[in-house]
Amino acid sequence: MNHTSRAATGRTKWALLAVTALATASLSACGGSDSSDGTGSPRASAEGVAHAKAAVEQHLPALDQFVAPGREISGLEGFKGRTIAYVPITLKATYFQAELEQITEAAELLGMKVQVCDAQAQPTVATQCINQAVAARSAGIITDSVPFALARNAYAAAVKADIPVVASDVSDPVPAEWEGHMATTDNGQDVGGRLMADAIIADSGGDADVLFVNTTSTSTTKRSSDAVLDEFRTQCPGCRVTTAAWEPTAVQKIPTTVSVALNADRNIDYVYVSYDQPAAPLAIQGMQLSGRADELKLVGYGSDVTAMQRLASGKQLADVAVDPALVAWNNTDRLLRMMTETDVPAASAYTIPRRIFNKSNIGSVNGRSVDEFKNGAWFTDGSFRKTYAQLWGAS
């Protein structure tokens, strides 16, 4: 056998292994043959489709009201000139850029400053960022999508230094020894994931063959992924789901993984990607590599500007997102309450606008700028700013 033949054989073996793994994931995701009626015809659940359509309909409009999460805060005058540290998992994503801008705007109302440190999706960098905030004696720290496992020692150092921390979009339980110094907020990625499954169920009438390009690298993303699969199981027994996993440290593999999966199962007609950044552009490359991009319907999670452009041009079916602006102000309020030892409401007390975008409402944001995404104009009327200013004595 010549070198070319050996190389070809190696590629073939790799592809077969990948296809086998993906097929196994498909069977485990939605129960394999249990999703048919015994004749090979999928069972469509009328109740499941009705549920999905109602869920989508409920999340199409922008938020039209905001409820204060707690009572007014006193004692903030003593923090004028102090610094809040912000540590996002990655500043490459527009969402976290928006949070930075909004936390900064909120802090400026109180004469405070914000120091940002990009964790770059790396445990060592996340640890350095939090330790840097501790060394600088920051008044408080807000992390975003940085799970405890990624920087546990640094989180512990902040607690030991008596610096309050809000770990945003982290579903890990707070260790007992950190209570009073640490608060987590959960932006409901599991809820958003279910909504995207509902968008597919509603569009397909309960008969979809889905490639789910997912990650379970953290407790939050695993919970979201599990919720997506559960929604398909419970609401769409006729849907078949193949999972194609990706890791934040190896995103360059996404195009090949997606292409192999699509060629392994020519019945796949929907591709659901979590998340719009960094996964969606790479998954689209995989769709193009497969030669099937034009026959597939794409849904995503994150609703960044490029996703909105795809929706407006008809290249994407739906996308779901949480308002980064209100989340940023919620996180700031929670941190301020911890800093002043004011009663800290439960995470459930905070309003989190979540919206599905599709062809029926894309006109409400089509043509709007990145700045309008960052300041929350896609999601609310911005009245929460006035409410928070009053709560903080800054109006």
Side-chain angles (χ1 to χ4, degrees):
M1 183 183 290
N2 60 33
H3 293 293
T4 302
S5 297
R6 285 197 297 269
T9 301
R11 287 194 297 270
T12 301
K13 288 180 178 177
W14 179 90
L16 286 171
L17 287 171
V19 169
T20 301
L22 288 162
T24 301
S26 174
L27 291 175
S28 64
C30 282
S33 60
D34 289 341
S35 63
S36 72
D37 60 7
T39 65
S41 301
R43 297 185 312 231
S45 165
E47 295 81 4
V49 173
H51 163 89
K53 288 182 176 179
V56 171
E57 190 71 24
Q58 180 184 351
H59 289 86
L60 289 173
L63 183 75
D64 59 2
Q65 60 180 346
F66 174 73
V67 179
R71 63 183 178 86
E72 294 181 1
I73 303 174
S74 58
L76 289 172
E77 303 85 359
F79 290 94
K80 188 173 183 179
R82 297 287 301 280
T83 298
I84 293 173
Y86 176 57
V87 182
I89 188 66
T90 173
L91 269 178
K92 288 184 178 180
T94 307
Y95 181 92
F96 299 114
Q97 296 169 15
E99 284 227 40
L100 171 59
E101 291 185 10
Q102 293 302 311
I103 292 171
T104 301
E105 180 182 326
E108 286 177 347
L109 285 177
L110 304 168
M112 299 183 70
K113 298 172 290 187
V114 174
Q115 180 66 50
V116 64
C117 184
D118 184 357
Q120 300 175 28
Q122 299 296 326
T124 54
V125 181
T127 296
Q128 291 170 2
C129 285
I130 297 173
N131 284 339
Q132 176 182 300
V134 173
R137 297 298 306 170
S138 300
I141 302 171
I142 298 174
T143 67
D144 206 323
S145 300
V146 180
F148 295 154
L150 203 69
R152 182 169 292 274
N153 290 339
Y155 275 123
V159 169
K160 185 177 180 180
D162 198 26
I163 297 175
V165 180
V166 171
S168 179
D169 212 9
V170 169
S171 56
D172 302 329
V174 176
E177 63 271 23
W178 294 359
E179 289 287 351
H181 302 274
M182 174 77 65
T184 59
T185 63
D186 186 349
N187 294 342
Q189 289 189 27
D190 54 334
V191 177
R194 287 184 186 276
L195 287 172
M196 279 294 89
D198 289 332
I200 293 173
I201 295 168
D203 183 73
S204 68
D207 183 8
D209 201 320
V210 185
L211 178 63
F212 179 28
V213 186
N214 71 328
T215 179
T216 57
S217 56
T218 70
S219 58
T220 300
T221 56
K222 184 180 186 307
R223 192 174 72 162
S224 176
S225 181
D226 289 346
V228 172
L229 297 176
D230 182 69
E231 191 74 357
F232 278 115
R233 286 191 193 100
T234 57
Q235 304 299 338
C236 190
C239 292
R240 182 169 177 267
V241 182
T242 299
T243 57
W246 63 274
E247 293 295 327
T249 55
V251 294
Q252 71 277 6
K253 296 181 181 180
I254 293 176
T256 301
T257 301
V258 169
S259 178
V260 168
L262 292 174
N263 283 318
D265 185 351
R266 305 294 295 187
N267 291 318
I268 291 173
D269 46 5
Y270 291 85
V271 177
Y272 172 18
V273 186
S274 57
Y275 296 84
D276 284 349
Q277 290 294 340
L282 298 168
I284 291 170
Q285 287 181 31
M287 293 162 62
Q288 294 167 342
L289 284 172
S290 74
R292 301 184 55 203
D294 291 341
E295 64 190 63
L296 298 165
K297 293 184 178 182
L298 174 68
V299 302
Y301 188 111
S303 293
D304 65 6
V305 175
T306 55
M308 296 299 100
Q309 292 169 344
R310 290 193 296 268
L311 279 167
S313 63
K315 295 180 180 179
Q316 185 164 330
L317 174 67
D319 211 292
V320 66
V322 169
D323 177 13
L326 184 44
V327 166
W329 285 69
N330 287 345
N331 289 337
T332 304
D333 180 80
R334 208 152 191 230
L335 184 67
L336 295 176
R337 292 175 185 276
M338 295 173 70
M339 287 162 49
T340 56
E341 299 184 356
T342 304
D343 294 338
V344 181
S348 58
Y350 289 90
T351 302
I352 301 179
R354 184 176 292 101
R355 194 175 183 193
I356 287 179
F357 295 100
N358 61 23
K359 64 181 181 181
S360 73
N361 67 351
I362 186 61
S364 67
V365 299
N366 187 24
R368 289 196 173 189
S369 66
V370 176
D371 287 341
E372 288 174 301
F373 169 78
K374 289 181 175 180
N375 68 24
W378 292 12
F379 303 90
T380 76
D381 61 5
S383 60
F384 63 85
R385 291 182 174 85
K386 181 178 180 181
T387 300
Y388 272 133
Q390 293 171 341
L391 290 177
W392 304 342
S395 58

